[in-house]
Amino acid sequence: MHAASAFHRFRYWLHERPFLADCLLAVVLGVAYTGFFAATAQLAPDYALEWPQSLLILAPFSVIALRRRALWAGVVLGLAIMAVAVFWEPAQVMGADSGIGFFVLTYTAAAWRPAKTALLASAAIWVPVAGVIYAGVGAEIDHITATILVMVNLVMAATVFWIGWVVRNRREKVEELSDRARFAEERQEALAAQAVADEQRRIARELHDVVAHHISVIGVMSEGAKRVLRTDPDAAEEALTTVNQTARTALREMRDILTVLRNGHEESDRAELEPQPTVDSLRALVAQTKEAGLPVRYTVRGEEYPLPTGVSLAVYRIAQEALTNTIKHAGPHARAGVVVDYGDQEFRISVGDSGTGAPAASGFSGGHGLIGMRERATLYGGTLEVGPRPGGGYLVEARFPKNAHLQGVTT
């Protein structure tokens, strides 16, 4: 295990130093071939391989060290060594490497250079080699033998080139897959971050809707109880009872929301079992608002039809936020009305009041009030209109297309 780990570290170390790795490859191949040539020379009694000749045999392998750093320099050096070996008799032994350096250069060109450059480099190597072989016709070899040698060299060169090309394509494919995997991972992380942000916004809206409404009711009722505490203890007790119930409801709803936030969906089954408020819960909301001291008239128009859960919750939250802002900003003598209209083409929820309206600095102008209501309406294909009414007061109206309710909305 230790030896394998050391080998992997050595490979990584060489991978980071390509020129050193190529030099090492050149030395290993040169020494191995020289040893093989020396052993073969022992079979010829009249031939003795001396040290100077051994060094000359190593010379052609020097081109391997340049294969990645300077390919064309390696090609030129290899051709120069071949020319010296052919035309200078004392250096003929340099041609005994059987073209190993040229085959390595051909492989490298195919594996690491563009196709045009690789083909040009290969032609620059093997056309002169073929010319040198044919130049020997009539001297040591005949034309047929020269042709066979040329064909063998070209077939081997083509094979090496093909191997390099396959390796290149495989490497590019792996890099492409790695890029895709990295892109997919980055996209997944971005989607996860977006999902977290969306969930945070949703929870923020829920917390705002729950807290704002119930705290407003508690504030109004506690103020009323304070005023009548000495003159009408029974009314004060009734108001404080409403405060207590409202506080308990707010705490329960906040606890359920925070349970989902803290534990996720796996451990929030109990919270999820509790029903979410819907359009049918509007009557209870109106009753609670009346107890807070705001006279509210509730009206249903048209023949009722079922709404998807998300749309129904959005309608409830919009009405809750609108009534909360009416309690805060409409004034002490305001009256409110909630109209639920089951139209043939669209569903409409309207919350209006006869008060002084919501000033620009109120909850309608920022935070999660108006933004939350508009997001809820838009999420299910609806629209939201808010603003002062012509005859006085303020109106919040959300409209949802009926066909979206029947089909369900996909987001």
Side-chain angles (χ1 to χ4, degrees), residues 273-289:
L273 290 176
E274 297 186 10
Q276 290 284 348
T278 63
V279 173
D280 296 333
S281 306
L282 288 176
R283 286 184 172 84
L285 177 65
V286 169
Q288 186 184 47
T289 306

Side-chain angles (χ1 to χ4, degrees), residues 67-347:
R67 69 188 191 101
R68 281 185 288 185
R69 168 167 286 193
L71 176 65
W72 285 106
V75 172
V76 172
L77 178 60
L79 294 176
I81 292 174
M82 182 182 66
V84 172
V86 170
F87 297 107
W88 188 37
E89 185 173 353
Q92 285 183 353
V93 71
M94 288 194 303
D97 73 320
S98 300
I100 293 177
F102 284 151
F103 287 120
V104 172
L105 292 179
T106 302
Y107 166 84
T108 302
W112 294 97
R113 298 302 176 94
K116 184 177 180 180
T117 303
L119 291 172
L120 187 60
S122 299
I125 293 172
W126 295 105
V127 170
V129 169
V132 168
I133 293 175
Y134 275 118
V137 175
E140 299 179 0
I141 57 176
D142 56 23
H143 184 79
I144 295 178
T145 303
T147 302
I148 293 175
L149 287 175
V150 169
M151 294 301 298
V152 169
N153 277 277
L154 292 180
V155 169
M156 292 178 63
T159 302
V160 170
F161 187 94
W162 177 78
I163 293 173
W165 189 258
V166 170
V167 170
R168 170 194 177 88
N169 289 337
R170 180 178 180 275
R171 184 180 66 253
E172 291 178 347
K173 187 65 175 178
V174 170
E175 292 175 353
E176 179 183 356
L177 293 176
S178 299
D179 292 340
R180 288 184 179 180
R182 183 169 57 254
F183 175 77
E185 183 178 357
E186 293 174 353
R187 178 176 173 81
Q188 186 66 27
E189 292 177 354
L191 291 175
Q194 182 64 38
V196 170
D198 292 342
E199 185 68 6
Q200 289 176 341
R201 284 194 294 270
R202 184 187 70 81
I203 293 171
R205 281 199 307 266
E206 293 294 327
L207 284 173
H208 172 270
D209 292 341
V210 170
V211 173
H213 177 75
H214 292 303
I215 296 300
S216 297
V217 172
I218 290 172
V220 171
M221 297 303 295
S222 60
E223 181 67 24
K226 179 181 177 181
R227 291 180 179 179
V228 300
L229 182 60
R230 297 183 184 277
T231 59
D232 192 349
D234 293 338
E237 182 180 359
E238 182 179 352
L240 291 176
T241 300
T242 302
V243 169
N244 181 271
Q245 294 175 348
T246 303
R248 290 178 181 273
T249 301
L251 287 174
R252 185 179 68 252
E253 293 187 17
M254 288 178 62
R255 183 176 62 250
D256 293 342
I257 294 173
L258 293 176
T259 298
V260 176
L261 177 62
R262 181 175 61 251
N263 299 329
H265 296 288
E266 295 181 358
E267 300 182 12
S268 61
D269 294 340
R270 184 181 64 82
E272 291 177 355
L273 290 176
E274 297 186 10
Q276 290 284 348
T278 63
V279 173
D280 296 333
S281 306
L282 288 176
R283 286 184 172 84
L285 177 65
V286 169
Q288 186 184 47
T289 306
K290 287 180 180 179
E291 292 178 358
L294 175 67
V296 183
R297 181 179 180 181
Y298 182 71
T299 305
V300 178
R301 298 174 181 171
E303 184 178 353
E304 297 185 14
Y305 45 77
L307 302 178
T309 302
V311 176
S312 192
L313 174 61
V315 170
Y316 179 89
R317 292 304 188 197
I318 290 172
Q320 184 183 48
E321 175 66 20
L323 290 174
T324 299
N325 280 278
T326 298
I327 293 174
K328 290 181 179 179
H329 308 294
H333 304 294
R335 306 177 67 87
V338 177
V339 179
V340 177
D341 188 358
Y342 291 88
D344 294 335
Q345 301 298 325
E346 65 179 10
F347 175 87

